[in-house]
């Protein structure tokens, strides 16, 4: 045991301390948001533990149910969903919850209600559980006016109205990346302490990256601008080096890499999925929020992603997000296509 190294680790910025520091900057704050975030953190720790034990606990087998998206549910999906719903309701700070696993929104009973709406995907990339690929939880938070009776329309707001967003990635380490609208910070779970420690302060995505991330198996169904952009990544005509393709197929892992190393993540619309495949409220919005807070961009092929107004809670959208300059290139290709 390296006692000298441990001595240097005594002044740790835990996520609790970080959020309390942020809270102190707002004298009017009652601490509601801090309590809500601490319940989300608890949910992430529980799911991390369950994911790590999945093989041992025989949680991996299919639960024999199909979720609203027509995907087979694994037992871990069901478990994660229950964990987050219970954690969020018991915080006493939420009024509406929208989960990827549930067809309808959950309205919290009046005695446990608060002013926040939370939209979340409890276990994104769960088809990768069996092969040990990183999976994660994605969440976004809206604040409602105090005293108003919550309605479904309160959640169907553009992503730019979110007060916070984040994801927790369960991989070789458990990493929680959060933004409350003042930059992006990454925390890594120290299993020996059971605490998330600040390891990636003030994340800024490089202005331009060398990686593109897309499922090229869908190439035959792509529209013109997407096909042209990927061709340009592979065979640049300006003398620059070709971009590297990296695609995990787990949105949390692909976006996390894009955020840290730069580049672009694409999930375009195609002939098979004309409206795109990723869900607006709990996949597109939180990740777009984080990208913009880190200095990147998020674009749907028609507009800024955070300006979208969803009509239903499970609406889908195409998405291009990542380094500022890389997204500018795809925007230019769509603009040129429109002028034809």
């Amino acid at each position: 045991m390296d006692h000298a190294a441990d001595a240097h680790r005594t002044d740790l910025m835990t996520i609790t301390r970080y959020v309390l520091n942020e809270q102190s900057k707002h004298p009017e704050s009652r601490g509601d948001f801090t309590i809500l975030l601490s319940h989300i953190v608890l949910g992430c720790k529980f799911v991390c533990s369950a994911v790590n034990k999945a093989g041992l606990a025989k949680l991996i087998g299919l639960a024999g149910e199909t979720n609203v998206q027509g995907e087979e549910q694994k037992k871990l999906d069901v478990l994660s969903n229950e964990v987050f719903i219970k954690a969020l309701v018991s915080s006493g700070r939420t009024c509406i919850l929208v989960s990827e696993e549930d067809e309808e929104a959950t309205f919290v009973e009046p005695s446990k209600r608060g002013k926040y709406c939370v939209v979340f995907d409890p276990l994104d990339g769960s088809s990768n559980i069996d092969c040990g690929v990183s999976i994660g939880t994605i969440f976004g938070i809206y604040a409602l006016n105090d005293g108003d009776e919550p309605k479904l329309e309160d959640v169907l707001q553009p992503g730019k109205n979110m007060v916070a967003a984040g994801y927790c990635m369960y991989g070789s380490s458990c990493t929680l990346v959060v933004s409350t609208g003042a930059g992006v910070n990454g925390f890594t779970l120290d299993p020996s302490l059971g605490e998330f420690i600040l390891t990636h302060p003030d994340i800024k995505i490089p202005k331009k990256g060398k990686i593109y991330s897309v499922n090229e198996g869908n190439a035959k169904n792509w529209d013109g601008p997407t096909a042209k952009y990927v061709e340009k990544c592979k065979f640049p005509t300006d003398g620059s080096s070709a971009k590297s393709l990296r695609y995990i197929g787990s949105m949390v892992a692909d976006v996390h890499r894009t955020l840290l190393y730069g580049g672009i993540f694409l999930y375009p619309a195609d002939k098979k999925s004309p409206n795109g495949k990723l869900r607006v409220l709990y996949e597109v919005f939180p990740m777009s929020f984080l990208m913009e807070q880190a200095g990147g961009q998020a674009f749907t092929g028609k507009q800024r992603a955070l300006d979208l107004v969803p009509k239903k809670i499970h609406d889908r959208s195409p998405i291009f997000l990542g380094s500022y300059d890389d997204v500018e290139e795809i925007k230019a290709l769509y603009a040129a296509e429109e002028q034809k």
Side-chain angles (χ1 to χ4, degrees):
M1 195 170 175
D2 188 346
H3 292 289
D6 278 353
H8 287 296
R9 293 172 60 228
T10 52
D11 187 30
L12 299 174
M13 177 62 83
T14 66
I15 190 157
T16 312
R17 182 176 155 200
Y18 174 81
V19 173
L20 287 170
N21 282 1
E22 289 299 301
Q23 184 189 315
S24 66
K25 296 175 189 173
H26 304 277
E28 75 289 355
S29 167
R30 300 200 310 255
D32 286 352
F33 182 75
T34 305
I35 291 166
L36 173 60
L37 210 55
S38 72
H39 278 73
I40 290 174
V41 166
L42 180 64
C44 292
K45 286 178 185 173
F46 188 99
V47 173
C48 177
S49 170
V51 166
N52 289 339
K53 291 189 298 210
L56 295 170
K58 292 203 184 305
L59 288 166
I60 273 176
L62 292 173
E65 295 171 28
T66 302
N67 73 1
V68 292
Q69 315 301 337
E71 298 164 341
E72 287 182 312
Q73 273 186 320
K74 306 241 168 171
K75 285 186 177 163
L76 266 179
D77 296 27
V78 180
L79 181 72
S80 307
N81 193 41
E82 284 175 9
V83 164
F84 276 104
I85 286 191
K86 283 178 180 161
L88 292 165
V89 170
S90 67
S91 73
R93 301 301 183 272
T94 58
C95 52
I96 309 174
L97 309 176
V98 173
S99 165
E100 192 243 7
E101 298 294 336
D102 297 330
E103 195 161 352
E104 305 290 334
T106 300
F107 286 83
V108 179
E109 60 180 273
S111 64
K112 292 180 179 169
R113 245 176 225 167
K115 67 173 182 178
Y116 292 104
C117 297
V118 183
V119 294
F120 61 99
D121 185 345
L123 206 59
D124 184 74
S126 52
S127 59
N128 286 314
I129 293 167
D130 292 2
C131 59
V133 168
S134 296
I135 51 181
T137 299
I138 309 172
F139 63 90
I141 302 170
Y142 290 102
L144 295 194
N145 297 324
D146 265 344
D148 286 0
E149 187 65 25
K151 309 177 294 298
L152 193 59
E153 292 69 50
D154 295 329
V155 185
L156 301 174
Q157 300 186 49
K160 63 185 176 190
N161 294 353
M162 281 185 169
V163 293
Y167 60 80
C168 188
M169 184 174 75
Y170 315 112
S172 53
S173 59
C174 179
T175 309
L176 181 63
V177 176
V178 184
S179 174
T180 54
V184 181
N185 289 282
F187 301 82
T188 304
L189 184 64
D190 181 334
S192 63
L193 298 174
E195 285 280 7
F196 279 100
I197 309 297
L198 182 63
T199 49
H200 297 75
D202 196 20
I203 297 169
K204 291 277 180 256
I205 185 169
K207 198 149 186 289
K208 192 169 176 61
K210 296 179 179 153
I211 294 171
Y212 72 104
S213 183
V214 67
N215 181 355
E216 288 211 43
N218 294 330
K220 69 176 185 311
N221 295 316
W222 285 344
D223 61 15
T226 303
K228 276 184 198 147
Y229 181 78
V230 171
E231 185 73 5
K232 205 167 145 195
C233 289
K234 295 198 275 197
F235 305 102
T237 51
D238 58 2
S240 61
S241 300
K243 280 181 163 41
S244 296
L245 169 66
R246 297 281 183 275
Y247 187 68
I248 298 163
S250 173
M251 189 191 190
V252 171
D254 278 313
V255 171
H256 185 64
R257 185 202 54 249
T258 306
L259 196 59
L260 296 184
Y261 299 162
I264 188 165
F265 169 84
L266 310 90
Y267 213 119
D270 58 31
K271 290 174 193 148
K272 255 190 335 190
S273 310
N275 297 320
K277 190 128 182 282
L278 297 178
R279 275 64 61 123
V280 173
L281 270 179
Y282 40 80
E283 290 176 326
V284 170
F285 278 170
M287 294 311 201
S288 300
F289 187 92
L290 291 166
M291 274 300 163
E292 286 200 6
Q293 285 293 321
Q297 289 196 80
F299 177 62
T300 66
K302 290 182 179 157
Q303 65 186 117
R304 174 191 176 207
L306 291 179
D307 287 339
L308 262 180
V309 183
K311 293 186 174 59
K312 298 194 179 83
I313 58 173
H314 297 298
D315 270 5
R316 299 170 189 254
S317 168
I319 186 68
F320 305 88
L321 52 79
S323 295
Y324 193 93
D325 289 356
D326 292 324
V327 178
E328 277 298 302
E329 280 184 42
I330 197 103
K331 280 163 86 173
L333 288 167
Y334 272 99
E337 180 88 354
E338 257 182 51
Q339 285 165 7
K340 279 184 184 172

